[in-house]
Amino acid sequence: MFDAGIAMEHLALAAWSFGLGTVHVGSFDAKMAEEILKVPEGYSMVSMTPLGYFETAPDARPRKPLHEIVYSNSFGEPYTK
């Protein structure tokens, strides 16, 4: 499952570099999706993604400063350069 998440992130980054939009979908009816897509027995769907060109690129969301989310040595001890 961990590797599938890493692969999906790489796919999303590669898609963006080609001007494509995507999103990692991890919550879906896997059994139904496997039936619709005729996934062979022995394989399981753990993730899927829509992929396509978007009309307008979304604005970047505001991010928290690193000192609010990265800690040094112990939890709660802010990271400082």
Side-chain angles (χ1 to χ4, degrees), residues 6-80:
I6 291 171
M8 289 299 288
E9 182 62 21
H10 289 320
L11 184 146
L13 292 170
W16 184 260
S17 75
F18 287 102
L20 294 161
T22 188
V23 63
H24 182 176
V25 179
S27 180
F28 58 95
D29 186 334
K31 216 168 205 28
M32 183 181 291
E34 289 168 7
E35 285 179 27
I36 291 168
L37 297 171
K38 298 179 174 79
V39 175
E41 194 155 328
Y43 292 88
S44 299
M45 288 184 63
V46 296
S47 184
M48 63 178 163
T49 181
L51 180 68
Y53 294 98
F54 41 84
E55 288 185 26
T56 58
D59 292 332
R61 295 183 303 162
R63 302 292 182 186
K64 291 182 179 182
L66 281 181
H67 72 273
E68 288 184 22
I69 59 171
V70 177
Y71 302 114
S72 180
N73 298 322
S74 64
F75 189 84
E77 188 176 326
Y79 170 78
T80 57

